[in-house]
Amino acid sequence: MASRVIPVEPFDLVIFGGTGDLARRKILPALYRRFVAGQFGADTRLIGAARTAMDSAAWRDLIAEALDEFTTGAGDGATREAFLAMLSYVTLDARGEEGWTALSGQMRDDRIRAFYFSVAPALFGDLAERLHLHGLIDETARIVVEKPFGHDLDSARALNRTLAQHFCEHQIYRIDHYLGKETVQNLMAIRFGNVLFEPLWNSQYVDHIQITVAETVGIGGRAEYYNHAGAMRDMVQNHLMQLLCLIAMEPPARFAPDPVRDEKLKVIRALDPVAPGDVVRGQYGGDGTQPDFRTQAGHGDSTTESFIALKAQISNWRWAGTPFYLRTGKRLRARTSEIAVVFKDAPHSIFGAEAGRHRNILTIRLQPNEGIELGVTIKEPGPGGMRLIDVPLDMTFAEALGPEEADFPDAYERLIMDVIRGNQTLFMRGDEVEAAWAWTDPIIAVWQAEQEPPLPYDTGSAGPEEALMLMHRDGRRWREIKP
Ligand code: BG6
């Protein structure tokens, strides 16, 4: 099987914040890989724009270094040169006049134009305003905005209002890179492409669902941002929320932007408020070789959490009574993201109590080692009566599809091409983001009122003990965090 590449029309893409970390690590490498794959031709302009004074040659050098670091082995020398030749740079002031005329001069009228706001959200309004003043917003224009989309409901609303002054909703692409991950999209394929699971996908058959996004990295060089955000704002409000939506939503009538986003929104709006006792916050300690959170954050008394575990409930016909346990954290035992759908026990065991308790579990491994696994109960081979054991029906995509086919593109590759194609299915709509904040804000407000520090946990652990208790007290347990 060879991957199919459907070319997009030539385009002009301006990357505001073109010298920044995201541009270097993700955006330009993703564009390069798509260029190598033949998804767009050399008749495309990639324009970096930032405050740093430099010329196009210097920006090309900067990006060339980034390609060396982040796209090892992709493309030959000529392809790399052709890609770099598409790059140009404008020194630009988002809040002043510098650079805007030069930028206008580089944009072509007969091309799709996209503007990537890879800058602090405080500049979104200024950029939108200047784009408008300089007549750069034509009918093909679209903007891409990065998370964090606001800090709470009020700021998200304000941002939505600011952008709406110059752009229609269909021109705004709010990125959540989890939606660009192949395996996350696979959630929808597994659910809605098979007849097998959907009849069982409800509280009658599903005991509970666990969503784990565990990381081994700490807050590293992003201390300032992270200390202000914490795991709730950085991961739960967006990435875990999106996973929960895709698992819980009703089948949309079509795989198209608004039908999908309407269904996700309904899930978020059906979430119950979370009781304070159903949330566990943690903060990692040092381990002798790596500093603890507070040292890394540069705030000895930081009360920001690097770990969250919580129990969410959805009040609708499909899910009432089936809890969703969400957990994410940094410096945990392994880097692993998975969703486990734990089915209920069979209503009656014909094998008697001695056969023990057996449950089917469908595990969707998002990363690494992407795949799905269905735990089924069988007879333990051999004589000695009817003893039951659980075995996995395991499909690792790399084995099932072949290594080439399972060499999934980075999320940004898919998402940036979707921007050019004009497909918003995998982007968050304004009302969705606001609804997600409306759910997380009250949880955060309780912490702020109580001023309780998060619970400490060891680097390399599964988070604070209390997170285990969150499930134990319900007679359930987390799946092990293992590589
Ligand atoms: C980002 C968060 O959105 O996602 C980071 O800001 C986190 O804190 C990252 O590390 C995780 O993404 P991935 O793709 O490595 O799972």
Side-chain angles (χ1 to χ4, degrees):
M1 266 185 290
S3 342
R4 272 177 303 129
V5 172
I6 304 169
V8 296
E9 285 177 42
F11 58 94
D12 290 349
L13 170 67
V14 181
I15 303 150
F16 294 111
T19 54
D21 198 48
L22 187 75
R24 290 178 45 258
R25 275 188 321 113
K26 291 287 181 186
I27 304 172
L28 271 309
L31 283 160
Y32 178 60
R33 285 195 219 93
R34 288 296 91 206
F35 181 66
V36 172
Q39 195 148 21
F40 59 89
D43 184 21
T44 285
R45 288 186 183 168
L46 305 173
I47 306 162
R51 285 197 71 165
T52 315
M54 64 165 76
D55 60 13
S56 293
W59 193 56
R60 265 182 224 124
D61 289 345
L62 185 83
I63 301 307
E65 272 174 35
L67 298 186
D68 290 343
E69 195 175 342
F70 302 111
T71 63
T72 335
D76 55 20
T79 313
R80 194 167 176 280
E81 285 314 307
F83 180 79
L84 292 173
M86 288 187 268
L87 269 51
S88 60
Y89 181 82
V90 179
T91 305
L92 177 136
D93 182 0
R95 294 192 161 136
E97 275 307 302
E98 186 189 358
W100 288 94
T101 311
L103 180 62
S104 300
Q106 299 212 18
M107 312 285 309
R108 296 167 294 180
D109 287 337
D110 54 350
R111 294 288 184 275
I112 290 171
R113 51 179 65 172
F115 302 98
Y116 204 124
F117 288 13
S118 177
V119 296
L123 292 176
F124 289 0
D126 298 293
L127 288 177
E129 183 68 24
R130 297 270 153 198
L131 286 171
H132 165 71
L133 286 176
H134 289 272
L136 289 167
I137 307 176
D138 67 8
E139 61 189 24
T140 75
R142 55 209 72 180
I143 55 169
V144 186
V145 292
E146 273 291 336
K147 78 174 251 281
F149 196 84
H151 191 69
D152 54 16
L153 177 58
D154 286 346
S155 52
R157 275 195 182 135
L159 268 183
N160 276 334
R161 272 198 303 270
T162 301
L163 296 180
Q165 282 171 11
H166 299 299
F167 296 95
C168 302
E169 183 61 35
H170 75 264
Q171 296 177 293
I172 305 172
Y173 290 73
R174 295 177 195 78
I175 280 206
D176 181 314
H177 81 279
Y178 264 56
L179 291 176
K181 289 183 189 275
E182 279 286 331
T183 40
V184 173
Q185 293 160 48
N186 224 334
L187 287 178
M188 288 179 277
I190 289 166
R191 281 195 62 191
F192 307 128
N194 296 287
V195 73
L196 209 59
F197 302 117
E198 207 46 30
L200 306 178
W201 213 259
N202 56 53
S203 60
Q204 195 184 340
Y205 293 102
V206 178
D207 178 73
H208 73 276
I209 289 175
Q210 300 186 17
I211 303 179
T212 297
V213 178
E215 299 184 274
T216 49
V217 292
I219 56 172
R222 300 160 74 228
E224 200 188 319
Y225 151 76
Y226 196 93
N227 192 44
H228 195 51
M232 193 69 170
R233 292 187 171 99
D234 185 52
M235 296 293 288
V236 178
Q237 188 270 349
N238 35 75
H239 303 327
L240 276 85
M241 176 67 84
Q242 291 297 320
L243 298 179
L244 179 136
C245 285
L246 297 181
I247 281 287
M249 71 184 184
E250 296 301 316
R254 278 172 300 118
F255 185 61
D258 280 330
V260 170
R261 299 184 303 174
D262 287 345
E263 295 307 335
K264 287 195 292 166
L265 180 63
K266 284 186 212 159
V267 172
I268 307 175
R269 290 194 172 149
L271 280 166
D272 289 347
V274 178
D278 285 346
V279 191
V280 176
R281 312 167 72 209
Q283 192 185 64
Y284 60 78
D287 67 354
T289 55
Q290 303 181 84
D292 63 10
F293 182 92
R294 291 178 172 189
T295 309
Q296 278 196 313
H299 290 271
D301 53 359
S302 169
T303 56
T304 302
E305 77 287 350
S306 57
F307 175 95
I308 287 275
L310 63 82
K311 177 178 169 183
Q313 312 254 19
I314 302 174
S315 277
N316 64 17
W317 271 51
R318 188 189 279 262
W319 293 119
T322 295
F324 286 66
Y325 297 93
L326 275 48
R327 157 176 80 155
T328 183
K330 297 204 181 283
R331 288 267 198 91
L332 296 179
R333 188 172 299 142
R335 176 175 186 259
T336 173
S337 301
E338 64 163 43
I339 297 170
V341 181
V342 181
F343 290 92
K344 289 189 171 167
D345 295 354
H348 163 70
S349 171
I350 63 167
F351 306 110
E354 61 279 11
R357 187 178 191 197
H358 296 274
R359 289 187 149 177
N360 299 117
I361 302 180
L362 175 69
T363 311
I364 301 149
R365 292 192 303 266
L366 304 177
Q367 61 190 26
N369 196 20
E370 293 86 347
I372 56 174
E373 182 184 305
L374 180 63
V376 289
T377 303
I378 61 164
K379 176 187 172 299
E380 191 177 324
M386 191 57 125
R387 292 186 310 274
L388 303 184
I389 51 167
D390 295 330
V391 290
L393 278 179
D394 190 352
M395 189 177 78
T396 299
F397 294 146
E399 285 162 18
L401 306 172
E404 209 174 292
E405 197 71 17
D407 181 16
F408 300 132
D410 183 77
Y412 278 86
E413 295 180 46
R414 163 79 199 250
L415 293 176
I416 297 173
M417 289 300 102
D418 276 357
V419 171
I420 305 303
R421 270 191 284 260
N423 184 346
Q424 288 186 309
T425 310
L426 300 177
F427 294 83
M428 292 176 299
R429 210 167 51 193
D431 49 6
E432 223 185 306
V433 179
E434 289 183 14
W437 282 121
W439 184 71
T440 45
D441 272 5
I443 306 175
I444 298 172
V446 171
W447 304 336
Q448 277 165 352
E450 288 176 349
Q451 289 291 311
E452 285 281 323
L455 301 159
Y457 64 92
D458 292 340
T459 286
S461 70
E465 284 287 309
E466 286 75 357
L468 305 180
M469 289 312 298
L470 184 72
M471 290 196 76
H472 281 183
R473 63 172 204 213
D474 292 348
R476 303 182 171 110
R477 65 190 152 97
W478 289 106
R479 288 166 55 79
E480 208 185 324
I481 295 182
K482 55 179 188 213

